[in-house]
Amino acid sequence: MKIRKLSVIISILCLFGQSLFGQEAKQPDYSQASVSIKYYNRSIYYPGMNDENPIDVHITIKNNGTETLRFKLADDRAFSLDFYAYTVKNSALEPTDSVIEKRTTNRTVYFREIALEGGEEYSFIENVKDYIKVDEPSVYYLEMSFYPELYKSKYIKLISNRLTLEIRPSASAASSTYVPVKDNSNEILKPQEIGPDKVVEQTIIARQKSLWDQYFLYMDVESLLKRNSALSKKYISVSAQERARMIESYKADLMQSRIENDIIAVPERFQIEKTTYSPTEGSVVVIEWFKYPNFSEKKRYTYKVRQREGIWTIYDYNVVNLGTE
């Protein structure tokens, strides 16, 4: 009888022990969590230049469920996430030396626990170039892994959506290095009374350097907007205030590469071929070369310009493909 009672007690203890073990081994549930990425202040990206030309990405972690979501976030984000950039052939860019060193050196990782209620989000911004070596121009597919239990538990991770990342060849000073004002200058930009060829030249150089204020300095954005029949029809039917809003929206779309890809394309180099003009109208013909990983593309741009009160502006253009080299 005593032996039987002891057997029962041992069985209960065994079951209790298994229950405790099961609780300890239970993994956190992140099935209702998601992570997404999008570009922050998207620009034209070049190899290297980590600080001068960052690839800033806006990261959002969201609780899609109804229960409270808790996760850890390291003060040094290298212990909370990874970026991956793949070529079309599925080869991946290497992590930076800094990331490798941090993860292979014994150090204390400081973190905080963040709690999100149902529907809540948490966002922050990171520079992709701090995580992976972006040394070659190409088109990549960018994605991110987030480790809610930190990098030491990297088998627990959330995968983001994919973005297309285009790295352009390093901008070079083509036919001239002159631009109206210095980079980072606080001087108010004012168009100068310069010839049509100089107007086009300075506009292309400003685009190569991603200096948007200088790029738009000699650009008749209203006329470019009216090239689109649907936008033109709306533009002439709205108030002056709404027209101003439409122009700013159109400029924003140009800067985000959503429209008019030809006019905002960035050539590796260019050469002004011919300039003709009357006192009020003119055209500037430019040969432009665009470099890609395995070939160069050559195009002939004809920029149409006109003069008002001594200032020439670009109001229209056309492009002819001249093949590859």
Side-chain angles (χ1 to χ4, degrees):
M1 184 69 177
K2 288 183 179 180
I3 293 174
R4 184 178 178 186
K5 186 181 292 185
L6 180 61
S7 172
V8 171
I9 293 172
I10 291 173
S11 298
I12 292 172
L13 287 174
C14 287
L15 289 171
F16 183 66
Q18 289 173 0
S19 176
L20 283 177
F21 180 80
Q23 289 177 4
E24 290 178 352
K26 184 180 179 181
Q27 300 295 339
D29 180 12
Y30 294 105
S31 61
Q32 297 303 310
S34 65
V35 60
S36 61
I37 58 175
K38 64 181 180 180
Y39 290 112
Y40 179 78
N41 288 341
R42 186 170 186 174
S43 181
I44 299 299
Y45 305 120
Y46 301 107
M49 303 169 63
N50 290 21
D51 297 323
E52 300 86 353
N53 181 235
I55 304 174
D56 287 330
V57 168
H58 186 270
I59 302 162
T60 299
I61 302 157
K62 183 177 182 179
N63 180 3
N64 299 304
T66 56
E67 301 295 325
T68 302
L69 171 70
R70 289 183 171 83
F71 59 88
K72 298 179 178 67
L73 185 65
D75 293 347
D76 185 339
R77 303 287 197 260
F79 294 97
S80 280
L81 58 92
D82 265 321
F83 282 102
Y84 303 96
Y86 302 95
T87 66
V88 292
K89 295 182 179 179
N90 210 36
S91 60
L93 295 184
E94 296 180 357
T96 61
D97 294 338
S98 173
V99 167
I100 293 173
E101 181 182 356
K102 287 176 182 179
R103 292 174 178 174
T104 56
T105 304
N106 288 329
R107 63 175 65 196
T108 302
V109 177
Y110 296 96
F111 67 90
R112 50 193 172 128
E113 186 175 85
I114 294 177
L116 297 179
E117 300 303 323
E120 289 185 341
E121 300 176 346
Y122 183 87
S123 299
F124 53 95
I125 296 167
E126 289 294 306
N127 179 6
V128 173
K129 289 182 178 178
D130 289 338
Y131 294 83
I132 52 180
K133 295 178 180 178
V134 184
D135 296 331
E136 298 293 335
S138 187
V139 176
Y140 301 94
Y141 299 106
L142 180 70
E143 68 179 28
M144 193 198 79
S145 291
F146 177 70
Y147 309 119
E149 295 296 316
L150 305 182
Y151 182 76
K152 63 180 176 62
S153 302
K154 62 179 182 178
Y155 55 89
I156 304 174
K157 62 184 178 181
L158 303 172
I159 308 297
S160 76
N161 55 302
R162 277 193 170 188
L163 300 177
T164 300
L165 172 62
E166 182 178 3
I167 304 298
R168 298 285 184 88
S170 296
S172 59
S175 301
S176 168
T177 57
Y178 175 75
V179 288
V181 295
K182 293 180 180 178
D183 301 4
N184 304 319
S185 170
N186 291 323
E187 181 182 347
I188 297 175
L189 291 173
K190 294 181 179 179
Q192 305 296 313
E193 294 186 17
I194 57 177
D197 54 343
K198 280 293 180 183
V199 163
V200 171
E201 179 184 76
Q202 291 183 16
T203 299
I204 296 174
I205 293 171
R207 185 65 194 92
Q208 286 179 318
K209 296 185 175 184
S210 295
L211 302 175
W212 287 107
D213 288 342
Q214 295 178 27
Y215 174 76
F216 288 120
L217 190 62
Y218 297 102
M219 194 76 72
D220 184 345
V221 179
E222 180 183 25
S223 293
L224 291 177
L225 180 150
K226 288 180 178 178
R227 283 165 48 99
N228 183 306
S229 58
L231 289 177
S232 180
K233 189 177 295 184
K234 179 180 178 182
Y235 186 82
I236 61 177
S237 66
V238 297
S239 66
Q241 183 177 4
E242 178 64 15
R243 287 181 181 182
R245 190 201 65 77
M246 285 183 68
I247 287 175
E248 289 305 310
S249 177
Y250 187 84
K251 288 168 68 174
D253 285 341
L254 284 173
M255 294 169 66
Q256 294 291 330
S257 301
R258 294 173 183 151
I259 55 174
E260 300 284 356
N261 289 330
D262 282 326
I263 194 68
I264 59 166
V266 182
E268 181 194 28
R269 57 191 176 94
F270 66 92
Q271 179 181 338
I272 294 178
E273 189 175 51
K274 182 173 66 174
T275 303
T276 56
Y277 59 97
S278 69
T280 57
E281 293 274 340
S283 64
V284 181
V285 181
V286 185
I287 303 298
E288 302 185 24
W289 287 265
F290 300 86
K291 188 174 181 180
Y292 298 94
N294 299 318
F295 66 94
S296 289
E297 193 172 27
K298 185 178 178 182
K299 297 183 179 183
R300 175 179 285 112
Y301 279 69
T302 300
Y303 297 91
K304 297 182 180 180
V305 296
R306 63 186 165 207
Q307 190 245 122
R308 291 176 179 172
E309 299 180 356
I311 304 299
W312 289 94
T313 57
I314 300 168
Y315 71 92
D316 200 358
Y317 71 97
N318 60 62
V319 185
V320 176
N321 292 322
L322 300 179
T324 59
E325 296 182 346

